[in-house]
Amino acid sequence: MTQDVIRLSSLLEVMGELELYDITIIGGGPVGLFGAYYAGLRQMKTKIIDSLAELGGQVTALYPEKYIFDVAGLPKISGKELVKNLVEQASQYHPMVCLEERVQNVRKQGDLFIIATQKQQHASKVVILAMGVGAFSPKKLDRVDLEKYEGKSVFYFVKDKSIFKGKRLLIVGGGDSAFDWAMNLQEMAKEITLIHRRDQFRAHEDTIKKVFSSPVKIKLFYELKGIQGKDRIETAVIYDNRTRAEEILSVDMILVNIGFSANLGPIAEWGVPVEKNTIIVNEKMETGVPGIYAAGDVITHGGKLKLIATGFGEIAIAVNQGVHFVNPKLKAFPGHSSEMSPPPLAVKVA
Ligand SMILES: Cc1cc2nc3c(=O)[nH]c(=O)nc-3n(C[C@H](O)[C@H](O)[C@H](O)COP(=O)(O)OP(=O)(O)OC[C@H]3O[C@@H](n4cnc5c(N)ncnc54)[C@H](O)[C@@H]3O)c2cc1C
């Protein structure tokens, strides 16, 4: 068989099972999101895959309430607002977004890439790695096994506030997410108790003040010791870590917001050159594997700075080079957006 016949047969095999995308971006952080916008602008059929349940990468996971001052054209913007704007900008071109999927492997099949996650496989002509410091996953409590309640009465993210309607909610944590949800779920939950293992917080000062002066019961130096209930939680045993005194709370749901861990995993096995947990790229954001590009915090090059501003420039290069790879008749230079018509179906993201 000639090389072309092998390519065609593997293409047909893949197309029979999987929908083919032009550009798949692994990582829905600020850099991946801006990449999705650019790929849409270039009329590419685009997909974003992220391990988290929400878009925004480090900004959403670690500092949504902090202000950022060094994004071009925006003198001051909160992390949350920046992500909202990026999502709105990218959504104009309706990229496919696959959340809670951690990419485990990227392999070449003929001219295409097959991207495997814990849930399914994806097929793409070009892959852009915008994986930041690695796949984020919520930290879990080491001492209490909550697994059998997860998704029913134990949550790490809030996707739908209404599930907390009329419930007695226990929030574990002292960071931005814990305080944000303590504030935002008051209208839904019947009552909220927030426990935190110390008396220092990693949350926005203003939100902390608001929660302290709200009906939320705050118990400092308290940790979760155990839970009772058959399929659903009925009570939670908490204890004071200074005195070891225990208390039993009647609760229906627990929201654990104690941070995130990040792991890049075995990316070297995907064939890309790796140095100190970062991917080496050239000035075109090429990784050395034709068709795989990389941008943002995950890359290294001579002048690399791990900043949102530099990541935006890198992903613009990666996407436009990827466009040229998908269709060599299309130039890498995209033209000026100011001279293009806006997308026909612009949507606003809430
Ligand atoms: C506290 C703090 C404050 C900061 N302040 C600023 C600031 O003021 N200005 C500034 O410019 N920068 C700031 N930064 C840095 C900035 O947040 C990063 O440079 C930026 O987030 C990098 O974007 P990214 O999209 O490359 O990566 P990330 O934001 O890390 O996003 C990568 C995404 O890829 C996903 N991912 C990774 N691996 C996989 C996989 N295998 N499968 C599926 N998904 C995967 C992750 O879950 C994540 O969502 C700050 C960082 C921190 C921690």
Side-chain angles (χ1 to χ4, degrees):
M1 258 200 290
T2 65
Q3 196 64 20
D4 281 350
V5 177
I6 295 170
R7 279 183 188 157
L8 184 63
S9 67
S10 63
L11 174 72
L12 291 173
E13 198 183 304
V14 167
M15 294 288 290
E17 296 168 22
L18 304 173
E19 194 174 344
L20 180 61
Y21 281 76
D22 294 320
I23 294 184
T24 298
I25 301 171
I26 305 178
V31 172
L33 284 171
F34 188 54
Y37 161 74
Y38 238 114
L41 183 77
R42 300 294 315 263
Q43 320 265 301
M44 295 284 108
K45 188 174 171 186
T46 308
K47 183 182 269 182
I48 307 180
I49 305 175
D50 201 292
S51 58
L52 280 178
E54 284 177 86
L55 291 165
Q58 287 174 56
V59 185
T60 297
L62 304 178
Y63 59 106
E65 295 293 343
K66 280 205 165 115
Y67 285 109
I68 305 171
F69 301 93
D70 55 349
V71 177
L74 298 168
K76 176 182 169 184
I77 186 160
S78 73
K80 208 155 58 179
E81 200 62 25
L82 176 68
V83 170
K84 187 171 167 264
N85 288 348
L86 285 163
V87 170
E88 188 178 316
Q89 189 180 30
S91 299
Q92 296 177 93
Y93 298 101
H94 308 286
M96 169 62 84
V97 179
C98 301
L99 295 174
E100 293 181 289
E101 285 198 48
R102 185 188 175 130
V103 174
Q104 292 162 330
N105 189 29
V106 177
R107 72 184 156 83
K108 193 127 202 201
Q109 184 167 324
D111 279 350
L112 308 177
F113 292 98
I114 304 298
I115 301 156
T117 73
Q118 84 283 13
K119 286 190 187 165
Q120 55 177 326
Q121 298 204 94
H122 305 264
S124 192
K125 296 178 190 167
V126 156
V127 176
I128 300 183
L129 308 175
M131 296 151 61
V133 287
F136 275 108
S137 43
K139 283 191 189 157
K140 302 198 172 178
L141 295 164
D142 339 315
R143 292 193 211 131
V144 193
D145 185 8
L146 297 173
E147 204 178 326
K148 79 170 195 183
Y149 303 101
E150 285 173 4
K152 286 179 275 181
S153 42
V154 170
F155 300 88
Y156 298 91
F157 290 97
V158 178
K159 280 201 236 163
D160 173 10
K161 288 206 256 184
S162 69
I163 62 166
F164 298 98
K165 195 165 180 192
K167 305 286 182 198
R168 294 161 302 178
L169 172 65
L170 174 65
I171 299 179
V172 183
D176 274 318
S177 303
F179 274 88
D180 258 7
W181 288 123
M183 206 55 227
N184 285 319
L185 291 172
Q186 285 178 40
E187 67 204 44
M188 280 289 163
K190 188 173 164 195
E191 59 179 47
I192 300 179
T193 308
L194 182 147
I195 58 168
H196 183 43
R197 64 194 159 93
R198 49 196 190 130
D199 61 353
Q200 280 149 348
F201 314 105
R202 299 181 72 168
H204 200 263
E205 216 171 291
D206 190 47
T207 319
I208 297 171
K209 269 193 205 150
K210 282 186 183 147
V211 172
F212 267 90
S213 52
S214 76
V216 172
K217 291 178 205 149
I218 299 172
K219 296 182 86 64
L220 302 180
F221 299 102
Y222 271 84
E223 296 182 41
L224 186 65
K225 183 163 183 193
I227 42 180
Q228 285 148 1
K230 240 184 166 187
D231 295 326
R232 294 190 161 266
I233 293 173
E234 284 160 20
T235 53
V237 183
I238 58 169
Y239 73 102
D240 185 322
N241 60 23
R242 299 161 301 180
T243 63
R244 305 273 141 191
E246 290 183 9
E247 216 176 287
I248 295 177
L249 299 178
S250 295
V251 294
D252 305 302
M253 289 185 167
I254 301 184
L255 181 60
V256 181
N257 283 153
I258 55 168
F260 294 88
S261 53
N263 187 350
L264 267 181
I267 44 170
E269 288 172 15
W270 305 357
V272 293
V274 174
E275 182 186 276
K276 290 190 192 151
N277 250 351
T278 47
I279 299 166
I280 303 168
V281 293
N282 64 14
E283 68 285 355
K284 290 183 176 173
M285 306 302 133
E286 292 167 333
T287 60
V289 179
I292 304 188
Y293 300 80
D297 274 16
V298 77
I299 64 165
T300 186
H301 55 71
K304 179 63 194 164
L305 300 172
K306 289 191 180 186
L307 289 171
I308 295 166
T310 51
F312 284 169
E314 290 156 359
I315 195 84
I317 295 173
V319 167
N320 285 301
Q321 291 296 336
V323 168
H324 180 66
F325 186 90
V326 168
N327 181 356
K329 286 187 191 146
L330 295 174
K331 290 187 178 143
F333 185 67
H336 295 143
S337 67
S338 55
E339 282 151 25
M340 298 173 194
S341 358
L345 282 169
V347 288
K348 198 137 179 85
V349 174

